[in-house]
């Protein structure tokens, strides 16, 4: 199902929920960064990198570490200043005749394509937001989707995404939250023909440092590198990439993913207690998409209490009844749910 009728604010992101309020936000359920700060061992690595700031960044060691982490060749890896730069590079380097973005999903891919002058078609998923590869227009030569998808929290099977491949088509998968899924069972990071975008900011509390990378065919990675500014990733960004893609850090990320799974299950169980609230998708990411007819009033009342949740109406395919809630620990979840009924009663008045 394609839809170009709606015109949501594609540049609205969860961090705006923390800034655009007269009340200080003390409890953040709007931003999907999972740690409030990088772990101590990572901060120590970053601090040690300060002594090397006089030299220009050398991406080769970090690139080799990422390649080894995913079983790729180094020339199939391109480090980027966060996933956002990856979308901009793709928009600059590719010349699609029919670009298609699978929605609801993170809006920066579409925003980057439009900013580069491309026409973009929206393929909007409904119901439980699962992907039917056969419903994607056959002549789309660029298809972008998230997995697991932000904001729906749906984890699409890898075999379904592989069915999108066809001659002349570039398939791009945003796996910014894949390391939050224990075992990463549906990752396509090792697939030779599919472009995968990964982010390190969500798991490791590094949103302010801007680090991520692209994986894909070497010819495309070369073209994207040609479109990238020199030294796009800072020295400290490279330290973070290398540190978080080493085997010990990958194992730690797996532990964090298992904890996030447990915390999400608890959040889902508590949300089930709330009136007039539904969760249509099978949630597999560190956030949950919910639907309630009084979403706007609930969000406003929670903000007045210093609690931020993410509005859903800026995602194509959603509307004013949707909210996205980040997974937090059990104490934070209890606070959110215990405050929610008062907001719900207020919205009825």
């Amino acid at each position: 199902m394609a839809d170009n009728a709606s015109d949501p604010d594609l540049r609205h992101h969860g961090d705006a929920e923390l800034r655009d309020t007269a009340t200080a936000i003390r409890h953040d359920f709007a931003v999907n960064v999972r740690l409030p700060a990088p772990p101590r061992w990572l901060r120590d690595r970053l601090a040690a990198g300060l002594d090397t700031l006089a030299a220009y960044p050398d991406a080769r060691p970090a690139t080799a570490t990422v390649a080894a982490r995913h079983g790729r060749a180094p020339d199939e890896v391109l480090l980027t200043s966060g996933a956002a730069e990856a979308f901009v590079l793709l928009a600059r380097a590719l010349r699609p005749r029919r670009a298609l973005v699978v929605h609801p999903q993170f809006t920066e891919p579409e925003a980057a394509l439009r900013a580069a002058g491309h026409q973009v078609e929206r393929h909007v998923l409904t119901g439980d937001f699962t992907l039917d590869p056969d419903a994607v227009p056959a002549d789309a030569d660029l298809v972008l989707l998230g997995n697991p998808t932000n904001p729906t929290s749906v984890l699409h099977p890898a075999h379904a995404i592989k069915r999108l491949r066809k001659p002349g088509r570039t398939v791009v998968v945003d796996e910014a939250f894949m390391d939050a899924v224990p075992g990463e069972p549906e990752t396509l990071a090792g697939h030779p023909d599919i472009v995968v975008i990964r982010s390190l900011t969500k798991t490791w509390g590094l949103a302010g440092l801007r680090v991520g990378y692209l994986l894909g065919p070497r010819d495309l990675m070369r073209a994207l590198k040609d479109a990238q500014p020199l030294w796009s990733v800072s020295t400290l960004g490279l330290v973070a990439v290398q540190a978080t893609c080493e085997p010990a850090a990958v194992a730690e990320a797996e532990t964090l993913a298992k904890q996030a799974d447990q915390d999400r299950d608890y959040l889902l169980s508590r949300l089930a207690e709330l009136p007039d609230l539904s969760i249509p998708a099978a949630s597999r990411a560190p956030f949950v998409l919910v639907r309630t007819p009084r979403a706007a009033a609930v969000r406003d009342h929670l903000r007045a209490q210093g609690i931020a949740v993410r509005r859903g109406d800026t995602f194509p395919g959603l509307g004013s009844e949707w909210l996205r809630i980040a997974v937090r620990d059990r104490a934070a979840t209890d606070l959110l749910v215990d405050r929610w009924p008062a907001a719900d009663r207020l919205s009825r008045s």
Side-chain angles (χ1 to χ4, degrees):
M1 170 179 169
D3 177 24
N4 286 313
S6 59
D7 189 25
D9 180 4
L10 300 179
R11 296 296 193 183
H12 180 94
H13 299 297
D15 60 320
E17 308 284 354
L18 310 183
R19 297 191 307 265
D20 302 340
T21 176
T23 304
I25 298 299
R26 300 183 301 278
H27 308 286
D28 172 20
F29 293 87
V31 176
N32 282 327
V33 176
R34 292 159 58 200
L35 294 179
R40 171 55 61 185
W41 65 265
L42 181 52
R43 281 183 279 174
D44 289 344
R45 291 280 291 269
L46 292 169
L50 293 173
D51 292 336
T52 67
L53 292 185
Y56 282 94
D58 180 0
R60 290 174 298 177
T63 298
T65 302
V66 172
R69 188 238 195 276
H70 295 291
R72 308 293 297 252
D75 58 0
E76 296 173 328
V77 177
L78 181 64
L79 307 185
T80 60
S81 179
E85 187 194 24
F87 299 129
V88 170
L89 294 176
L90 287 165
R92 289 177 178 175
L94 299 178
R95 295 292 182 266
R97 297 182 306 277
R98 188 177 185 184
L100 185 142
V101 178
V102 179
H103 283 293
Q105 77 145 315
F106 185 52
T107 53
E108 279 303 310
E110 178 175 333
L113 286 167
R114 292 189 182 279
H118 301 292
Q119 296 295 316
V120 181
E121 182 175 341
R122 295 172 183 165
H123 182 75
V124 179
L125 306 180
T126 57
D128 61 0
F129 303 113
T130 56
L131 174 70
D132 177 5
D134 295 330
V136 173
D139 61 345
D141 57 346
L142 174 62
V143 178
L144 296 98
L145 72 158
N147 200 36
T149 303
N150 172 20
T152 65
S153 198
V154 168
L155 182 66
H156 303 290
H159 65 79
I161 298 175
K162 290 178 183 178
R163 285 173 55 198
L164 293 172
R165 292 176 301 150
K166 60 186 307 179
R169 171 184 285 175
T170 300
V171 178
V172 180
V173 185
D174 175 9
E175 291 192 358
F177 295 98
M178 186 63 77
D179 64 351
V181 181
E184 301 187 9
E186 309 301 339
T187 183
L188 290 163
H191 197 284
D193 301 324
I194 293 175
V195 179
V196 168
I197 298 172
R198 301 289 290 245
S199 170
L200 301 172
T201 63
K202 310 298 189 295
T203 290
W204 299 108
L206 293 172
L209 194 55
R210 313 307 306 138
V211 282
Y213 52 88
L214 281 146
L215 305 166
R218 54 176 53 90
D219 289 346
L220 178 57
M221 295 302 103
R222 187 179 304 113
L224 296 176
K225 186 174 183 179
D226 289 343
Q228 186 180 42
L230 287 174
W231 312 297
S232 178
V233 182
S234 69
T235 294
L236 293 185
L238 295 173
V239 169
V241 171
Q242 186 165 0
T244 58
C245 288
E246 291 171 348
V250 173
E252 184 173 327
E254 176 73 5
T255 299
L256 292 170
K258 291 176 180 177
Q259 182 61 56
D261 254 12
Q262 296 175 17
D263 290 338
R264 186 188 61 249
D265 289 345
Y266 184 74
L267 172 62
L268 290 169
S269 70
R270 290 300 320 267
L271 291 174
E273 303 171 13
L274 300 176
D276 299 325
L277 184 146
S278 62
I279 304 170
S283 302
R284 294 295 304 277
F287 46 86
V288 174
L289 182 68
V290 304
R291 189 173 194 174
T292 175
R294 286 168 293 279
V298 169
R299 172 175 165 268
D300 288 346
H301 187 64
L302 290 173
R303 281 159 65 87
Q305 300 178 71
I307 302 171
V309 294
R310 172 66 157 90
R311 60 190 290 188
D313 60 345
T314 63
F315 293 101
L318 301 182
S320 61
E321 295 184 343
W322 296 92
L323 298 169
R324 190 193 70 196
I325 303 171
V327 170
R328 300 292 186 242
D329 62 29
R330 293 191 175 203
T333 292
D334 287 339
L335 181 144
L336 171 71
V337 175
D338 292 346
R339 299 280 181 90
W340 192 295
D344 184 70
R345 286 194 298 273
L346 178 69
S347 67
R348 293 172 186 266
S349 60

